[in-house]
Amino acid sequence: MDRLFELQGEFWVAAVETLYMVALTLLIGGLVGLALGTVLYTTRPGSLLSNRVVYNIVNVIINFFRPIPFIIFIAAVQPLSRLVIGTGIGNDALVFALSIAASFAIARIVEQNLLTVSPGVIEAARSMGAGPLRILRTVVLPEALGPLILGYTFVLVAIVDMTAVAGLIGGGGLGNFAQVYGYRQFEPVITWAAVLLIVIFVQGVQFLGNWLARKVLRR
């Protein structure tokens, strides 16, 4: 316990680093994933903007990258990270890799949730003269908002898990703190302090996501 008090400065810095990586990843990966998922939904056969070529290209790209274990994906994407952001190590490099990985996972979640929207609602909008983009904006996305919030909440929890490997590329965060000061120095109290804070954070995110989804679904 005394060692934890000695390291409380580093502990809270690690907590802030985790929040930074998770928030930035969700922002970038969430927007890119939403765009990709929307493209998958709208271009699939029989959908609003059916285009088999575009759908197959995007579908193959997502299916290729999504199954790659994240610990391998980090190493594979390092050259691209150096090219785009100028570094292959550190928190920013991890955010870059996380954003790419998260965008593919989110894209599939977005597609699946948009597909749950009743075709009858879409046909009703069409019968009133609404175009494909207007239907997407005013009917499909609002109807799927509740499930989308739950899907993003699930991905956010997964992102927190993936930040634990930040230390492999010189990054920080609570996962790296637990490994460096807890596991490697045989200090279980430090390890469990980091674990407890991660659990509290995840539970808070899950509670907020569930609450928002319920509010939306009750409208």
Side-chain angles (χ1 to χ4, degrees), residues 21 94 159-168 172-176 179 198:
M21 290 186 288
L94 183 72
I159 291 172
V160 175
D161 292 341
M162 289 189 286
T163 61
V165 301
L168 294 175
L174 288 169
N176 183 60
Q179 293 178 46
I198 290 173

Side-chain angles (χ1 to χ4, degrees), residues 38-138:
T38 303
V39 169
L40 281 174
Y41 170 76
T42 56
T43 60
R44 67 186 295 114
S47 193
L48 298 174
L49 297 169
S50 181
N51 189 315
R52 189 178 298 273
V53 174
V54 174
Y55 175 79
N56 286 335
I57 291 174
V58 177
N59 191 51
V60 168
I61 291 173
I62 291 174
N63 286 341
F64 178 82
F65 286 103
R66 203 162 64 97
I68 301 175
F70 184 63
I71 196 168
I72 298 174
F73 187 79
I74 289 178
V77 83
Q78 268 192 318
L80 181 61
S81 177
R82 293 191 188 97
L83 180 65
V84 175
I85 65 172
T87 181
I89 60 174
N91 291 336
D92 290 338
L94 183 72
V95 168
F96 181 80
L98 273 170
S99 298
I100 296 175
S103 66
F104 294 132
I106 290 172
R108 194 59 74 187
I109 288 174
V110 169
E111 180 198 19
Q112 291 170 352
N113 284 314
L114 294 183
L115 286 171
T116 63
V117 177
S118 172
V121 176
I122 297 173
E123 288 304 318
R126 276 178 172 158
S127 68
M128 291 188 291
L133 295 181
R134 186 176 179 183
I135 292 173
L136 179 66
R137 187 180 71 254
T138 62

Side-chain angles (χ1 to χ4, degrees), residues 7 34 47 57 76 79 84 90 124 135 140 144 155 159 169 174 178 183 208:
L7 294 170
L34 178 62
S47 193
I57 291 174
V84 175
I135 292 173
V140 177
V155 172
I159 291 172
I169 57 171
L174 288 169
Y183 176 74
L208 179 61

